[in-house]
Amino acid sequence: METQANAAGTFDILVIGSGAAGLTAALALAEKYKVAVLAKGGLTGGSTAWAQGGIAAVLDQGDTFEEHERDTMIAGAGLNRRETVNFVIERAPHAIGRLIDLGVPFNMDGNELHLTREGGHSHRRIVHVNDATGWAVQQALLRAAEANPNITLLPGRSCIDFITGKHEMRYSASGRVWGVYALNEESGHVEAFTARATVLATGGAGRVYQFSTAPRGATGDGISMAWRAGARVSNMEMMQFHPTCLYNLEVKNFLITEAVRGEGGRLINPRTGKRFMTFYDPERLELAPRDVVARAIDSEIKRFGLDYVHLDISHQPPEFVREHFPTIYEKLLTLGIDMTREPIPVVPAQHYTCGGVLIDLDGRTDLPGLYAAGECTESGLHGANRLASNSLLECFVFGDAAAAHILANWDSFEAPPPVRAWDESRVSEPDEEVIIKQNWTEIRRFMWNYVGIVRTTKRLERAMHRIQLLNTEVDEYYRHFRVSTDLIELRNLLQSAELIVQSALKRHESRGLHYTLDYPQTDDVPVDTILVP
């Protein structure tokens, strides 16, 4: 692996993002060509490292591809594209094999892989490394990338916009992508990176919401950049929420696993002291599906003006709680909460972006020269709701697919033409950072309140009105001041919010993750919400 302190320039291929999708593509491409991997902040800052669950694959004798496909389609409320579901699931066992070769230490049961089962799956088919699979995968991929002489890892690069035909010295109006302008976070200068092909793997847009389990950098950068460059995006209204995230002003995204409810945890309204799932789903109570539980909690919070609800398992014996949930127990103790004796304050939190940049089975976007993989895309795998543990799987399959298509068609990729350097002449140092912080907070709050788990047309229109006001302000700020990572993220956060609200306003039904009081019915024929720039 080469590292360059201040390396801008031309490579064969650029990969934007250093998570599962980006590194999978980079490793496949580096067998033949020189690849640069750009990452905002550190190389392990993405969602991959946070993934607690595992990777879904048909590996059990009694299991079949057809059943995994059916489970995926049911979770996705029929909005999935069947050929994509088929394509990904059939490649899952091969993806697991590759990870084993890279040294991922999956849990074993004797000589076989240990398989667990998660919500929505009809079989045991989740391979895992304890409850920290993502971290193990991230480490293995990074080790392989660092050892590869054809891969240059460039952390500390915040990508601003794609370099397209309009940035060529000779000027062309083509939407051909030649690379990216990126802020070097250390030097403060913007660098131009060019390549014959670019793979986008920047993750989701979870930080658009006040409560999210996504890492700090999940600000929809890739989705927004692709949209600005002319690519279509699809199903951005489909945002997955996890029902129980710890409510704590210091710790932003600590999940309280569903298993706490599975072992008898009850949801209580802190004001009335009543167990409230009895009003929403009297048969299944706390074990109703995620979206039902999340909507119930959201309803209690809105009706009573609460900040959170209580999840209480203190009626179980203390040793039972400590034995079943050692990690959560220890973590909560450091925050002054003893879950064996008192309730845990929880709120639902944004968990996964199911929509994104529209791609085909080769990972191609609408823009020539630009491929994409992972959470920043809408491949057709997840539909209106993601099945547990299909997310990492999508990263490996499409990272590979994009690399395979680039390798097979290499002769059709021209060398990049000379492009213009980034113009810093007309900007000054930002006057007040507080403006960025204020706008960031405002977006996340109104998105949570108006475009969250339960929606109405009036709430969505209120959100859109605020987005339009902020667009003018942020655009003016962006044009006049020197770019910083905070400003780049704010611009992308606002763009992502606009795409989510626009998509939600276009869907006149409730399906999967999109639930609106104005259109509670589900239409007979599922249709993707596709936005065209």
Side-chain angles (χ1 to χ4, degrees), residues 52 242 244-246 254-267 275 286-287 310-316 320-329 332 339-340 342-346:
Q52 293 175 345
H242 194 287
T244 54
C245 178
L246 175 68
F254 186 67
L255 268 187
I256 307 295
T257 172
E258 237 160 297
V260 172
R261 282 176 284 131
E263 297 297 344
R266 297 167 186 165
L267 288 164
R275 182 180 187 181
E286 283 80 7
L287 294 181
H310 277 149
L311 175 59
D312 193 4
I313 195 169
S314 64
H315 54 278
Q316 295 282 35
F320 173 90
V321 174
R322 285 194 293 267
E323 189 185 313
H324 276 75
F325 308 108
T327 315
I328 296 174
Y329 173 73
L332 292 176
M339 67 187 285
T340 65
E342 58 194 319
I344 308 162
V346 294

mmCIF file of all heavy atoms in Angstrom, residues 52 242 244-246 254-267 275 286-287 310-316 320-329 332 339-340 342-346:
data_model
loop_
_atom_site.group_PDB
_atom_site.id
_atom_site.type_symbol
_atom_site.label_atom_id
_atom_site.label_comp_id
_atom_site.label_asym_id
_atom_site.label_seq_id
_atom_site.Cartn_x
_atom_site.Cartn_y
_atom_site.Cartn_z
ATOM 1 N N GLN A 52 -23.662 -4.548 14.044
ATOM 2 C CA GLN A 52 -23.626 -5.536 15.138
ATOM 3 C C GLN A 52 -24.064 -6.913 14.653
ATOM 4 O O GLN A 52 -23.599 -7.926 15.143
ATOM 5 C CB GLN A 52 -24.585 -5.108 16.267
ATOM 6 C CG GLN A 52 -24.172 -3.858 16.994
ATOM 7 C CD GLN A 52 -25.230 -3.429 18.015
ATOM 8 O OE1 GLN A 52 -26.357 -3.879 17.996
ATOM 9 N NE2 GLN A 52 -24.839 -2.549 18.909
ATOM 10 N N HIS A 242 -35.099 2.003 13.911
ATOM 11 C CA HIS A 242 -35.018 0.968 14.929
ATOM 12 C C HIS A 242 -35.827 1.467 16.127
ATOM 13 O O HIS A 242 -35.697 2.622 16.517
ATOM 14 C CB HIS A 242 -33.556 0.743 15.336
ATOM 15 C CG HIS A 242 -33.347 -0.518 16.126
ATOM 16 N ND1 HIS A 242 -33.763 -0.632 17.428
ATOM 17 C CD2 HIS A 242 -32.785 -1.701 15.791
ATOM 18 C CE1 HIS A 242 -33.463 -1.849 17.858
ATOM 19 N NE2 HIS A 242 -32.876 -2.506 16.889
ATOM 20 N N THR A 244 -35.775 0.953 19.442
ATOM 21 C CA THR A 244 -35.223 1.253 20.772
ATOM 22 C C THR A 244 -33.741 1.613 20.742
ATOM 23 O O THR A 244 -32.873 0.755 20.740
ATOM 24 C CB THR A 244 -35.444 0.061 21.745
ATOM 25 O OG1 THR A 244 -34.898 -1.117 21.135
ATOM 26 C CG2 THR A 244 -36.920 -0.162 22.023
ATOM 27 N N CYS A 245 -33.510 2.914 20.712
ATOM 28 C CA CYS A 245 -32.150 3.440 20.813
ATOM 29 C C CYS A 245 -32.078 4.170 22.157
ATOM 30 O O CYS A 245 -33.047 4.823 22.563
ATOM 31 C CB CYS A 245 -31.917 4.424 19.664
ATOM 32 S SG CYS A 245 -30.298 5.203 19.663
ATOM 33 N N LEU A 246 -30.981 4.036 22.871
ATOM 34 C CA LEU A 246 -30.832 4.700 24.173
ATOM 35 C C LEU A 246 -31.000 6.213 24.018
ATOM 36 O O LEU A 246 -30.416 6.816 23.123
ATOM 37 C CB LEU A 246 -29.439 4.410 24.748
ATOM 38 C CG LEU A 246 -29.093 5.134 26.051
ATOM 39 C CD1 LEU A 246 -29.944 4.619 27.204
ATOM 40 C CD2 LEU A 246 -27.612 4.975 26.370
ATOM 41 N N PHE A 254 -26.479 4.473 20.766
ATOM 42 C CA PHE A 254 -26.316 3.153 21.365
ATOM 43 C C PHE A 254 -27.645 2.395 21.274
ATOM 44 O O PHE A 254 -28.651 2.800 21.841
ATOM 45 C CB PHE A 254 -25.866 3.279 22.829
ATOM 46 C CG PHE A 254 -25.540 1.958 23.476
ATOM 47 C CD1 PHE A 254 -24.447 1.209 23.056
ATOM 48 C CD2 PHE A 254 -26.333 1.448 24.491
ATOM 49 C CE1 PHE A 254 -24.145 -0.013 23.642
ATOM 50 C CE2 PHE A 254 -26.047 0.229 25.092
ATOM 51 C CZ PHE A 254 -24.944 -0.503 24.655
ATOM 52 N N LEU A 255 -27.632 1.290 20.522
ATOM 53 C CA LEU A 255 -28.851 0.502 20.327
ATOM 54 C C LEU A 255 -29.132 -0.391 21.523
ATOM 55 O O LEU A 255 -28.215 -0.982 22.081
ATOM 56 C CB LEU A 255 -28.656 -0.425 19.116
ATOM 57 C CG LEU A 255 -29.093 0.097 17.753
ATOM 58 C CD1 LEU A 255 -28.978 -1.023 16.740
ATOM 59 C CD2 LEU A 255 -30.502 0.621 17.787
ATOM 60 N N ILE A 256 -30.393 -0.486 21.893
ATOM 61 C CA ILE A 256 -30.805 -1.479 22.885
ATOM 62 C C ILE A 256 -31.467 -2.611 22.089
ATOM 63 O O ILE A 256 -32.562 -2.453 21.556
ATOM 64 C CB ILE A 256 -31.799 -0.888 23.922
ATOM 65 C CG1 ILE A 256 -31.230 0.394 24.560
ATOM 66 C CG2 ILE A 256 -32.148 -1.942 24.967
ATOM 67 C CD1 ILE A 256 -29.987 0.195 25.412
ATOM 68 N N THR A 257 -30.756 -3.710 21.983
ATOM 69 C CA THR A 257 -31.173 -4.801 21.095
ATOM 70 C C THR A 257 -32.618 -5.253 21.331
ATOM 71 O O THR A 257 -33.131 -5.205 22.451
ATOM 72 C CB THR A 257 -30.227 -6.016 21.251
ATOM 73 O OG1 THR A 257 -30.782 -7.112 20.526
ATOM 74 C CG2 THR A 257 -30.092 -6.445 22.701
ATOM 75 N N GLU A 258 -33.226 -5.726 20.246
ATOM 76 C CA GLU A 258 -34.589 -6.254 20.274
ATOM 77 C C GLU A 258 -34.729 -7.396 21.290
ATOM 78 O O GLU A 258 -35.811 -7.662 21.796
ATOM 79 C CB GLU A 258 -34.914 -6.805 18.884
ATOM 80 C CG GLU A 258 -36.115 -6.177 18.275
ATOM 81 C CD GLU A 258 -36.138 -6.372 16.767
ATOM 82 O OE1 GLU A 258 -35.234 -5.871 16.084
ATOM 83 O OE2 GLU A 258 -37.074 -7.022 16.303
ATOM 84 N N ALA A 259 -33.617 -8.071 21.553
ATOM 85 C CA ALA A 259 -33.640 -9.222 22.467
ATOM 86 C C ALA A 259 -34.088 -8.837 23.879
ATOM 87 O O ALA A 259 -34.618 -9.668 24.617
ATOM 88 C CB ALA A 259 -32.255 -9.878 22.520
ATOM 89 N N VAL A 260 -33.903 -7.561 24.276
ATOM 90 C CA VAL A 260 -34.373 -7.126 25.605
ATOM 91 C C VAL A 260 -35.896 -7.279 25.662
ATOM 92 O O VAL A 260 -36.454 -7.745 26.653
ATOM 93 C CB VAL A 260 -33.935 -5.672 25.920
ATOM 94 C CG1 VAL A 260 -34.584 -5.178 27.211
ATOM 95 C CG2 VAL A 260 -32.413 -5.596 26.046
ATOM 96 N N ARG A 261 -36.573 -6.911 24.571
ATOM 97 C CA ARG A 261 -38.022 -7.113 24.509
ATOM 98 C C ARG A 261 -38.353 -8.596 24.390
ATOM 99 O O ARG A 261 -39.334 -9.083 24.937
ATOM 100 C CB ARG A 261 -38.622 -6.325 23.349
ATOM 101 C CG ARG A 261 -38.754 -4.851 23.674
ATOM 102 C CD ARG A 261 -39.251 -4.038 22.485
ATOM 103 N NE ARG A 261 -38.221 -3.824 21.502
ATOM 104 C CZ ARG A 261 -38.365 -4.042 20.190
ATOM 105 N NH1 ARG A 261 -39.496 -4.491 19.715
ATOM 106 N NH2 ARG A 261 -37.374 -3.802 19.374
ATOM 107 N N GLY A 262 -37.475 -9.321 23.675
ATOM 108 C CA GLY A 262 -37.666 -10.767 23.510
ATOM 109 C C GLY A 262 -37.617 -11.509 24.835
ATOM 110 O O GLY A 262 -38.258 -12.550 25.016
ATOM 111 N N GLU A 263 -36.848 -10.985 25.795
ATOM 112 C CA GLU A 263 -36.701 -11.642 27.101
ATOM 113 C C GLU A 263 -37.612 -11.027 28.164
ATOM 114 O O GLU A 263 -37.370 -11.178 29.360
ATOM 115 C CB GLU A 263 -35.230 -11.583 27.555
ATOM 116 C CG GLU A 263 -34.252 -12.313 26.648
ATOM 117 C CD GLU A 263 -34.501 -13.821 26.566
ATOM 118 O OE1 GLU A 263 -35.225 -14.367 27.428
ATOM 119 O OE2 GLU A 263 -33.983 -14.440 25.614
ATOM 120 N N GLY A 264 -38.628 -10.283 27.730
ATOM 121 C CA GLY A 264 -39.633 -9.817 28.686
ATOM 122 C C GLY A 264 -39.661 -8.321 28.967
ATOM 123 O O GLY A 264 -40.440 -7.866 29.802
ATOM 124 N N GLY A 265 -38.804 -7.550 28.297
ATOM 125 C CA GLY A 265 -38.800 -6.094 28.499
ATOM 126 C C GLY A 265 -40.130 -5.472 28.089
ATOM 127 O O GLY A 265 -40.716 -5.853 27.080
ATOM 128 N N ARG A 266 -40.620 -4.524 28.920
ATOM 129 C CA ARG A 266 -41.914 -3.888 28.639
ATOM 130 C C ARG A 266 -41.720 -2.407 28.333
ATOM 131 O O ARG A 266 -40.866 -1.757 28.938
ATOM 132 C CB ARG A 266 -42.830 -4.013 29.873
ATOM 133 C CG ARG A 266 -43.161 -5.443 30.221
ATOM 134 C CD ARG A 266 -43.782 -5.511 31.603
ATOM 135 N NE ARG A 266 -43.993 -6.916 32.027
ATOM 136 C CZ ARG A 266 -44.250 -7.274 33.261
ATOM 137 N NH1 ARG A 266 -44.324 -6.358 34.217
ATOM 138 N NH2 ARG A 266 -44.431 -8.549 33.567
ATOM 139 N N LEU A 267 -42.552 -1.894 27.446
ATOM 140 C CA LEU A 267 -42.505 -0.471 27.114
ATOM 141 C C LEU A 267 -43.543 0.279 27.954
ATOM 142 O O LEU A 267 -44.726 -0.064 27.947
ATOM 143 C CB LEU A 267 -42.774 -0.271 25.616
ATOM 144 C CG LEU A 267 -41.611 -0.711 24.716
ATOM 145 C CD1 LEU A 267 -42.068 -0.860 23.278
ATOM 146 C CD2 LEU A 267 -40.445 0.280 24.806
ATOM 147 N N ARG A 275 -48.116 0.397 30.669
ATOM 148 C CA ARG A 275 -47.557 -0.379 29.563
ATOM 149 C C ARG A 275 -48.439 -0.091 28.344
ATOM 150 O O ARG A 275 -49.623 -0.426 28.331
ATOM 151 C CB ARG A 275 -47.611 -1.856 29.935
ATOM 152 C CG ARG A 275 -47.010 -2.777 28.905
ATOM 153 C CD ARG A 275 -47.122 -4.220 29.375
ATOM 154 N NE ARG A 275 -46.415 -5.114 28.485
ATOM 155 C CZ ARG A 275 -46.359 -6.427 28.637
ATOM 156 N NH1 ARG A 275 -46.982 -6.989 29.654
ATOM 157 N NH2 ARG A 275 -45.690 -7.173 27.778
ATOM 158 N N GLU A 286 -44.922 -6.101 22.865
ATOM 159 C CA GLU A 286 -43.571 -5.595 22.534
ATOM 160 C C GLU A 286 -42.882 -6.395 21.434
ATOM 161 O O GLU A 286 -41.840 -5.975 20.921
ATOM 162 C CB GLU A 286 -42.683 -5.590 23.786
ATOM 163 C CG GLU A 286 -42.931 -4.463 24.751
ATOM 164 C CD GLU A 286 -44.131 -4.672 25.670
ATOM 165 O OE1 GLU A 286 -44.721 -5.789 25.643
ATOM 166 O OE2 GLU A 286 -44.482 -3.744 26.404
ATOM 167 N N LEU A 287 -43.442 -7.575 21.088
ATOM 168 C CA LEU A 287 -42.809 -8.405 20.054
ATOM 169 C C LEU A 287 -43.474 -8.224 18.687
ATOM 170 O O LEU A 287 -43.263 -9.017 17.777
ATOM 171 C CB LEU A 287 -42.834 -9.876 20.472
ATOM 172 C CG LEU A 287 -41.976 -10.174 21.713
ATOM 173 C CD1 LEU A 287 -42.022 -11.647 22.067
ATOM 174 C CD2 LEU A 287 -40.536 -9.730 21.508
ATOM 175 N N HIS A 310 -39.976 4.517 28.433
ATOM 176 C CA HIS A 310 -39.151 3.598 29.229
ATOM 177 C C HIS A 310 -39.244 2.175 28.704
ATOM 178 O O HIS A 310 -40.329 1.705 28.350
ATOM 179 C CB HIS A 310 -39.623 3.607 30.693
ATOM 180 C CG HIS A 310 -39.059 4.744 31.472
ATOM 181 N ND1 HIS A 310 -39.728 5.342 32.532
ATOM 182 C CD2 HIS A 310 -37.872 5.407 31.370
ATOM 183 C CE1 HIS A 310 -38.959 6.314 33.025
ATOM 184 N NE2 HIS A 310 -37.847 6.377 32.348
ATOM 185 N N LEU A 311 -38.092 1.507 28.654
ATOM 186 C CA LEU A 311 -38.044 0.070 28.390
ATOM 187 C C LEU A 311 -37.602 -0.578 29.699
ATOM 188 O O LEU A 311 -36.507 -0.287 30.197
ATOM 189 C CB LEU A 311 -37.054 -0.236 27.260
ATOM 190 C CG LEU A 311 -36.804 -1.710 26.944
ATOM 191 C CD1 LEU A 311 -38.081 -2.431 26.539
ATOM 192 C CD2 LEU A 311 -35.767 -1.845 25.820
ATOM 193 N N ASP A 312 -38.459 -1.417 30.256
ATOM 194 C CA ASP A 312 -38.218 -1.909 31.616
ATOM 195 C C ASP A 312 -38.146 -3.427 31.666
ATOM 196 O O ASP A 312 -39.082 -4.127 31.298
ATOM 197 C CB ASP A 312 -39.363 -1.417 32.514
ATOM 198 C CG ASP A 312 -39.049 -1.608 33.998
ATOM 199 O OD1 ASP A 312 -37.924 -2.053 34.307
ATOM 200 O OD2 ASP A 312 -39.913 -1.295 34.825
ATOM 201 N N ILE A 313 -36.979 -3.926 32.103
ATOM 202 C CA ILE A 313 -36.825 -5.384 32.291
ATOM 203 C C ILE A 313 -36.447 -5.672 33.750
ATOM 204 O O ILE A 313 -36.009 -6.773 34.097
ATOM 205 C CB ILE A 313 -35.786 -5.952 31.279
ATOM 206 C CG1 ILE A 313 -35.891 -7.472 31.195
ATOM 207 C CG2 ILE A 313 -34.366 -5.464 31.601
ATOM 208 C CD1 ILE A 313 -35.121 -8.120 30.080
ATOM 209 N N SER A 314 -36.650 -4.669 34.640
ATOM 210 C CA SER A 314 -36.200 -4.809 36.031
ATOM 211 C C SER A 314 -37.037 -5.809 36.838
ATOM 212 O O SER A 314 -36.663 -6.167 37.952
ATOM 213 C CB SER A 314 -36.197 -3.441 36.730
ATOM 214 O OG SER A 314 -37.520 -2.932 36.795
ATOM 215 N N HIS A 315 -38.173 -6.275 36.250
ATOM 216 C CA HIS A 315 -38.970 -7.287 36.953
ATOM 217 C C HIS A 315 -38.342 -8.681 36.838
ATOM 218 O O HIS A 315 -38.725 -9.598 37.544
ATOM 219 C CB HIS A 315 -40.407 -7.322 36.388
ATOM 220 C CG HIS A 315 -40.445 -7.504 34.909
ATOM 221 N ND1 HIS A 315 -40.278 -6.439 34.037
ATOM 222 C CD2 HIS A 315 -40.599 -8.605 34.139
ATOM 223 C CE1 HIS A 315 -40.345 -6.893 32.780
ATOM 224 N NE2 HIS A 315 -40.536 -8.194 32.822
ATOM 225 N N GLN A 316 -37.362 -8.842 35.914
ATOM 226 C CA GLN A 316 -36.662 -10.129 35.781
ATOM 227 C C GLN A 316 -35.555 -10.212 36.844
ATOM 228 O O GLN A 316 -35.051 -9.178 37.285
ATOM 229 C CB GLN A 316 -36.037 -10.255 34.383
ATOM 230 C CG GLN A 316 -37.044 -10.300 33.240
ATOM 231 C CD GLN A 316 -37.707 -11.663 33.102
ATOM 232 O OE1 GLN A 316 -37.960 -12.352 34.090
ATOM 233 N NE2 GLN A 316 -38.017 -12.061 31.869
ATOM 234 N N PHE A 320 -30.299 -12.912 35.746
ATOM 235 C CA PHE A 320 -30.821 -13.226 34.404
ATOM 236 C C PHE A 320 -30.489 -12.083 33.432
ATOM 237 O O PHE A 320 -29.995 -12.300 32.326
ATOM 238 C CB PHE A 320 -32.347 -13.438 34.492
ATOM 239 C CG PHE A 320 -33.042 -13.598 33.167
ATOM 240 C CD1 PHE A 320 -33.208 -14.856 32.600
ATOM 241 C CD2 PHE A 320 -33.548 -12.487 32.483
ATOM 242 C CE1 PHE A 320 -33.854 -15.006 31.375
ATOM 243 C CE2 PHE A 320 -34.188 -12.632 31.260
ATOM 244 C CZ PHE A 320 -34.346 -13.894 30.708
ATOM 245 N N VAL A 321 -30.736 -10.852 33.866
ATOM 246 C CA VAL A 321 -30.491 -9.673 33.023
ATOM 247 C C VAL A 321 -28.997 -9.534 32.720
ATOM 248 O O VAL A 321 -28.584 -9.337 31.579
ATOM 249 C CB VAL A 321 -31.036 -8.391 33.706
ATOM 250 C CG1 VAL A 321 -30.668 -7.144 32.908
ATOM 251 C CG2 VAL A 321 -32.553 -8.480 33.874
ATOM 252 N N ARG A 322 -28.165 -9.671 33.779
ATOM 253 C CA ARG A 322 -26.708 -9.515 33.593
ATOM 254 C C ARG A 322 -26.146 -10.591 32.666
ATOM 255 O O ARG A 322 -25.278 -10.318 31.835
ATOM 256 C CB ARG A 322 -25.987 -9.560 34.948
ATOM 257 C CG ARG A 322 -26.164 -8.278 35.759
ATOM 258 C CD ARG A 322 -25.169 -8.220 36.911
ATOM 259 N NE ARG A 322 -25.439 -9.258 37.914
ATOM 260 C CZ ARG A 322 -26.201 -9.055 38.988
ATOM 261 N NH1 ARG A 322 -26.743 -7.866 39.211
ATOM 262 N NH2 ARG A 322 -26.424 -10.026 39.852
ATOM 263 N N GLU A 323 -26.662 -11.802 32.791
ATOM 264 C CA GLU A 323 -26.176 -12.924 31.982
ATOM 265 C C GLU A 323 -26.573 -12.777 30.514
ATOM 266 O O GLU A 323 -25.783 -13.049 29.614
ATOM 267 C CB GLU A 323 -26.780 -14.219 32.556
ATOM 268 C CG GLU A 323 -26.210 -15.492 31.954
ATOM 269 C CD GLU A 323 -26.951 -16.711 32.503
ATOM 270 O OE1 GLU A 323 -27.151 -16.783 33.737
ATOM 271 O OE2 GLU A 323 -27.342 -17.559 31.689
ATOM 272 N N HIS A 324 -27.797 -12.300 30.273
ATOM 273 C CA HIS A 324 -28.281 -12.179 28.889
ATOM 274 C C HIS A 324 -27.742 -10.952 28.166
ATOM 275 O O HIS A 324 -27.576 -10.976 26.944
ATOM 276 C CB HIS A 324 -29.821 -12.142 28.866
ATOM 277 C CG HIS A 324 -30.434 -13.503 28.897
ATOM 278 N ND1 HIS A 324 -30.472 -14.266 30.047
ATOM 279 C CD2 HIS A 324 -31.021 -14.248 27.925
ATOM 280 C CE1 HIS A 324 -31.063 -15.425 29.781
ATOM 281 N NE2 HIS A 324 -31.410 -15.432 28.503
ATOM 282 N N PHE A 325 -27.511 -9.864 28.926
ATOM 283 C CA PHE A 325 -27.131 -8.597 28.269
ATOM 284 C C PHE A 325 -25.901 -7.971 28.916
ATOM 285 O O PHE A 325 -25.953 -6.844 29.414
ATOM 286 C CB PHE A 325 -28.323 -7.619 28.315
ATOM 287 C CG PHE A 325 -29.591 -8.228 27.797
ATOM 288 C CD1 PHE A 325 -30.629 -8.561 28.668
ATOM 289 C CD2 PHE A 325 -29.747 -8.500 26.449
ATOM 290 C CE1 PHE A 325 -31.789 -9.148 28.191
ATOM 291 C CE2 PHE A 325 -30.901 -9.088 25.958
ATOM 292 C CZ PHE A 325 -31.928 -9.409 26.833
ATOM 293 N N PRO A 326 -24.772 -8.700 28.929
ATOM 294 C CA PRO A 326 -23.587 -8.185 29.637
ATOM 295 C C PRO A 326 -23.090 -6.853 29.079
ATOM 296 O O PRO A 326 -22.751 -5.949 29.834
ATOM 297 C CB PRO A 326 -22.548 -9.298 29.454
ATOM 298 C CG PRO A 326 -23.023 -10.106 28.289
ATOM 299 C CD PRO A 326 -24.510 -10.000 28.290
ATOM 300 N N THR A 327 -23.058 -6.729 27.735
ATOM 301 C CA THR A 327 -22.520 -5.505 27.114
ATOM 302 C C THR A 327 -23.400 -4.303 27.437
ATOM 303 O O THR A 327 -22.903 -3.249 27.835
ATOM 304 C CB THR A 327 -22.422 -5.673 25.584
ATOM 305 O OG1 THR A 327 -21.857 -6.960 25.313
ATOM 306 C CG2 THR A 327 -21.564 -4.621 24.950
ATOM 307 N N ILE A 328 -24.719 -4.483 27.248
ATOM 308 C CA ILE A 328 -25.653 -3.379 27.504
ATOM 309 C C ILE A 328 -25.629 -3.009 28.995
ATOM 310 O O ILE A 328 -25.588 -1.833 29.351
ATOM 311 C CB ILE A 328 -27.088 -3.746 27.055
ATOM 312 C CG1 ILE A 328 -27.116 -3.957 25.531
ATOM 313 C CG2 ILE A 328 -28.095 -2.673 27.451
ATOM 314 C CD1 ILE A 328 -28.428 -4.460 24.994
ATOM 315 N N TYR A 329 -25.633 -4.027 29.842
ATOM 316 C CA TYR A 329 -25.620 -3.801 31.298
ATOM 317 C C TYR A 329 -24.412 -2.945 31.699
ATOM 318 O O TYR A 329 -24.547 -1.938 32.404
ATOM 319 C CB TYR A 329 -25.617 -5.147 32.036
ATOM 320 C CG TYR A 329 -25.446 -5.027 33.540
ATOM 321 C CD1 TYR A 329 -26.491 -4.550 34.339
ATOM 322 C CD2 TYR A 329 -24.237 -5.366 34.155
ATOM 323 C CE1 TYR A 329 -26.329 -4.422 35.715
ATOM 324 C CE2 TYR A 329 -24.076 -5.242 35.526
ATOM 325 C CZ TYR A 329 -25.124 -4.774 36.306
ATOM 326 O OH TYR A 329 -24.964 -4.644 37.663
ATOM 327 N N LEU A 332 -24.626 0.708 30.264
ATOM 328 C CA LEU A 332 -25.594 1.548 30.977
ATOM 329 C C LEU A 332 -25.099 1.927 32.375
ATOM 330 O O LEU A 332 -25.339 3.049 32.836
ATOM 331 C CB LEU A 332 -26.954 0.847 31.066
ATOM 332 C CG LEU A 332 -27.701 0.672 29.737
ATOM 333 C CD1 LEU A 332 -28.987 -0.112 29.939
ATOM 334 C CD2 LEU A 332 -27.999 2.013 29.083
ATOM 335 N N MET A 339 -29.932 -1.373 34.801
ATOM 336 C CA MET A 339 -31.118 -1.935 34.146
ATOM 337 C C MET A 339 -31.750 -3.091 34.929
ATOM 338 O O MET A 339 -32.866 -3.501 34.641
ATOM 339 C CB MET A 339 -30.804 -2.364 32.714
ATOM 340 C CG MET A 339 -29.854 -3.529 32.569
ATOM 341 S SD MET A 339 -29.365 -3.876 30.841
ATOM 342 C CE MET A 339 -30.824 -4.651 30.169
ATOM 343 N N THR A 340 -31.049 -3.605 35.962
ATOM 344 C CA THR A 340 -31.657 -4.659 36.786
ATOM 345 C C THR A 340 -32.625 -4.050 37.808
ATOM 346 O O THR A 340 -33.418 -4.760 38.410
ATOM 347 C CB THR A 340 -30.584 -5.484 37.547
ATOM 348 O OG1 THR A 340 -29.934 -4.624 38.491
ATOM 349 C CG2 THR A 340 -29.570 -6.096 36.614
ATOM 350 N N GLU A 342 -33.894 -0.409 37.298
ATOM 351 C CA GLU A 342 -34.654 0.757 36.808
ATOM 352 C C GLU A 342 -34.830 0.674 35.293
ATOM 353 O O GLU A 342 -34.119 -0.057 34.604
ATOM 354 C CB GLU A 342 -33.933 2.054 37.191
ATOM 355 C CG GLU A 342 -32.519 2.140 36.655
ATOM 356 C CD GLU A 342 -31.696 3.254 37.303
ATOM 357 O OE1 GLU A 342 -32.244 4.354 37.511
ATOM 358 O OE2 GLU A 342 -30.510 3.028 37.576
ATOM 359 N N PRO A 343 -35.798 1.449 34.747
ATOM 360 C CA PRO A 343 -36.043 1.381 33.304
ATOM 361 C C PRO A 343 -34.977 2.116 32.493
ATOM 362 O O PRO A 343 -34.242 2.954 33.021
ATOM 363 C CB PRO A 343 -37.405 2.054 33.156
ATOM 364 C CG PRO A 343 -37.520 2.965 34.329
ATOM 365 C CD PRO A 343 -36.747 2.325 35.443
ATOM 366 N N ILE A 344 -34.928 1.769 31.199
ATOM 367 C CA ILE A 344 -33.975 2.396 30.272
ATOM 368 C C ILE A 344 -34.750 3.408 29.423
ATOM 369 O O ILE A 344 -35.764 3.048 28.808
ATOM 370 C CB ILE A 344 -33.358 1.326 29.330
ATOM 371 C CG1 ILE A 344 -32.774 0.148 30.127
ATOM 372 C CG2 ILE A 344 -32.297 1.928 28.422
ATOM 373 C CD1 ILE A 344 -32.559 -1.109 29.285
ATOM 374 N N PRO A 345 -34.291 4.675 29.346
ATOM 375 C CA PRO A 345 -34.971 5.641 28.466
ATOM 376 C C PRO A 345 -34.612 5.350 26.994
ATOM 377 O O PRO A 345 -33.430 5.256 26.652
ATOM 378 C CB PRO A 345 -34.395 6.995 28.913
ATOM 379 C CG PRO A 345 -33.106 6.687 29.593
ATOM 380 C CD PRO A 345 -33.153 5.269 30.076
ATOM 381 N N VAL A 346 -35.638 5.178 26.170
ATOM 382 C CA VAL A 346 -35.384 4.850 24.754
ATOM 383 C C VAL A 346 -36.227 5.706 23.817
ATOM 384 O O VAL A 346 -37.299 6.187 24.183
ATOM 385 C CB VAL A 346 -35.654 3.349 24.443
ATOM 386 C CG1 VAL A 346 -34.680 2.434 25.157
ATOM 387 C CG2 VAL A 346 -37.105 2.963 24.739
#
